[in-house]
Amino acid sequence: NKGKYEHYMQKEIHEQPESLTTTMRGRLIRGGSHKAKTVLLGGLKDHLKTIRRSRRIVFIGCGTSYNAALAARPILEELSGVPVTMEVASDLLDRQGPIYREDTAVFVSQSGETADTLLALEYALENGALCVGITNTVGSAIARHTHCGVHINAGAEIGVASTKAYTSQIVVMAMLALAIGGDTISNEAKREATIDGLIDLPNKVREVLQLDQEMKDLAKLLIAEQSLLVFGRGYNYATALEGALKVKEVALMHSEGILAGEMKHGPLALVDENLPIVVIATRDACFSKQQSVIQQLHARKGRLIVMCSKGDAAAVCPGESCRAIEVPQVEDCLQPVVNIIPLQLLAYHLTVLRGFNVDQPRNLAKSVTTQ
Ligand code: UD1
Ligand code: F6R
């Protein structure tokens, strides 16, 4: 049931304040006056010790689910103290890459039925790793075959392009980082800020959804383009990859997410006055580096669209022709949840304006159950 919406993708983008609330329900415990706030993930509580003692955490997934894990990787590294690596499921299988008994392998999948991810799970089980699932579908193959896990509880996702599952996956993995990290003194400030940020996140998501009309106007400007680049780094490298994936899969426009630190190692050659480029430059530890990326793109007459924190438009835009998308600022590790939303809206409006099928893009299926 699409309710007041024209498409499922549109509905699922706009219901993110509610889906995120459901994802967190019963899992964030506010402590008393001197008791720190804590995270309770029922499905993991008996396994946290093993996870903390593992030699490595390996995230495994495909497409959007892989991107969600990439967005959560820095906070996991910071809070867990365990090295974190990333594997695209098919690539792990192609290489028969190393997975050890001392590893915790985390399988991220909305459907819980993706063939590549499921085969990677069988492979990791054979190799003796502790296998953890992060799935949206109760009773799915991945939920059943993992040793333990967390349901993201985002509600059924019907549009082929994953939107609300992505943001709920990031939130669950941030909670996973908090759960693994435990309440050590060194983590205390970051923990508290992250938990407060999680509690307020649905409000910030409601706020960023007000950019809908602005993103529709931007889509009108970009409707006839051949290509769109998205530059990100740090916490928002994943946002660049995921934003570009949305644009290519539904709007059928070539789009590429680029790690901004790699700009001078090739992509800079593409820059001219015609190619539109989105640069994600919200406030975090990478902000000044992104400012210098913007300057260099501007010096090559790049057509810039800068995503920045509220109030920063004048500070980040180098010239008249630059457009700004101002988003609310949140705790750095949660900023990817806010930042993806304007790009989801942009992909949605581009698709409708270009006259393509939003909910069932050509050649794609919601659940990829074949290799
Ligand atoms: C569970 C109940 C929830 C109830 C809550 C009350 C289910 C599905 N969830 O939620 O209805 O309100 O207790 O305390 O009955 N699991 C995997 N792999 C996965 C995902 C989950 O093995 O990919 C396992 C977990 O380890 C756990 C079980 O499935 O044993 C349920 O997981 P989850 O729904 O996340 O647990 P709770 O949030 O505690
Ligand atoms: C993109 C998209 C796909 C899926 C991928 C994995 O919008 O939906 O990239 O993310 O096929 O699917 P799940 O998460 O079901 O394993």
Side-chain angles (χ1 to χ4, degrees):
N1 189 329
K2 293 195 282 268
K4 62 176 175 176
Y5 297 104
E6 272 173 72
H7 303 100
Y8 283 108
M9 182 182 179
Q10 184 189 28
K11 170 176 178 279
E12 288 159 3
I13 292 171
H14 286 277
E15 75 190 12
Q16 288 176 102
E18 291 74 37
S19 53
L20 289 168
T21 302
T22 323
T23 296
M24 292 186 274
R25 183 163 295 141
R27 290 170 166 171
L28 291 176
I29 317 291
R30 281 177 190 271
S33 53
H34 53 272
K35 205 168 163 266
K37 299 177 189 120
T38 52
V39 168
L40 182 81
L41 297 173
L44 292 188
K45 61 178 189 307
D46 300 333
H47 302 269
L48 285 176
K49 263 194 183 154
T50 318
I51 300 175
R52 283 186 196 121
R53 278 201 298 249
S54 54
R55 198 161 69 178
R56 173 177 77 141
I57 295 168
V58 192
F59 278 121
I60 301 165
C62 306
T64 291
S65 292
Y66 175 91
N67 292 342
L70 189 66
R73 179 193 195 178
I75 190 64
L76 243 111
E77 288 177 328
E78 186 173 341
L79 293 182
S80 75
V82 182
V84 183
T85 64
M86 304 286 312
E87 293 283 358
V88 171
S90 63
D91 186 48
L92 176 70
L93 292 164
D94 289 346
R95 290 170 15 248
Q96 296 284 295
I99 297 285
Y100 304 109
R101 293 185 60 82
E102 300 80 11
D103 287 335
T104 295
V106 182
F107 295 85
V108 187
S109 174
Q110 187 286 128
S111 64
E113 304 290 349
T114 301
D116 290 325
T117 311
L118 196 52
L119 286 165
L121 168 58
E122 282 167 19
Y123 174 74
L125 287 168
E126 281 163 21
N127 285 278
L130 174 70
C131 294
V132 179
I134 294 180
T135 49
N136 195 29
T137 316
V138 177
S140 61
I142 291 169
R144 282 184 283 113
H145 292 122
T146 40
H147 295 118
C148 59
V150 188
H151 290 114
I152 67 168
N153 299 336
E157 189 178 66
I158 294 166
V160 165
S162 185
T163 51
K164 65 175 181 171
Y166 178 71
T167 49
S168 284
Q169 286 166 336
I170 297 174
V171 160
V172 162
M173 287 182 269
M175 292 194 289
L176 174 68
L178 290 162
I180 299 173
D183 37 16
T184 57
I185 302 288
S186 57
N187 281 344
E188 197 176 315
K190 188 72 188 175
R191 281 179 68 74
E192 298 250 327
T194 304
I195 294 178
D196 289 343
L198 283 168
I199 293 168
D200 196 37
L201 195 57
N203 292 327
K204 297 293 201 238
V205 167
R206 208 166 281 123
E207 199 180 319
V208 76
L209 281 166
Q210 288 168 7
L211 291 174
D212 191 40
Q213 185 60 45
E214 204 177 312
M215 290 305 109
K216 188 173 177 180
D217 294 342
L218 180 59
K220 284 179 191 157
L221 287 179
L222 299 177
I223 182 170
E225 295 302 333
Q226 298 282 331
S227 182
L228 177 70
L229 300 187
V230 190
F231 279 65
R233 73 196 310 149
Y235 277 109
N236 288 290
Y237 173 40
T239 310
L241 294 183
E242 176 60 9
L245 178 57
K246 290 300 90 132
V247 169
K248 83 183 99 175
E249 76 171 323
V250 288
L252 316 188
M253 180 187 288
H254 172 258
S255 187
E256 210 179 312
I258 294 176
L259 184 63
E262 282 285 283
M263 176 179 72
K264 289 181 195 159
H265 305 288
L268 197 53
L270 288 171
V271 178
D272 62 14
E273 62 273 28
N274 300 314
L275 175 63
I277 305 174
V278 176
V279 183
I280 301 165
T282 42
R283 293 270 174 174
D284 63 18
C286 295
F287 180 64
S288 62
K289 288 186 186 173
Q290 282 303 74
Q291 279 182 303
S292 103
V293 163
I294 291 167
Q295 291 304 333
Q296 292 175 51
L297 292 169
H298 180 64
R300 270 112 190 139
K301 303 192 170 57
R303 239 179 98 188
L304 294 177
I305 301 152
V306 178
M307 186 184 296
C308 62
S309 302
K310 265 205 177 130
D312 271 350
V316 295
C317 277
E320 293 281 289
S321 58
C322 168
R323 275 181 80 99
I325 305 170
E326 289 197 354
V327 300
Q329 192 182 348
V330 296
E331 187 62 19
D332 55 9
C333 61
L334 303 175
Q335 195 70 51
V337 172
V338 168
N339 289 2
I340 195 57
I341 289 172
L343 301 178
Q344 293 173 343
L345 291 167
L346 177 64
Y348 170 76
H349 287 298
L350 264 177
T351 311
V352 175
L353 291 168
R354 283 159 68 94
F356 297 123
N357 189 329
V358 182
D359 287 331
Q360 285 186 297
R362 83 178 170 208
N363 310 339
L364 297 182
K366 180 66 185 160
S367 173
V368 186
T369 53
T370 53
Q371 244 189 317

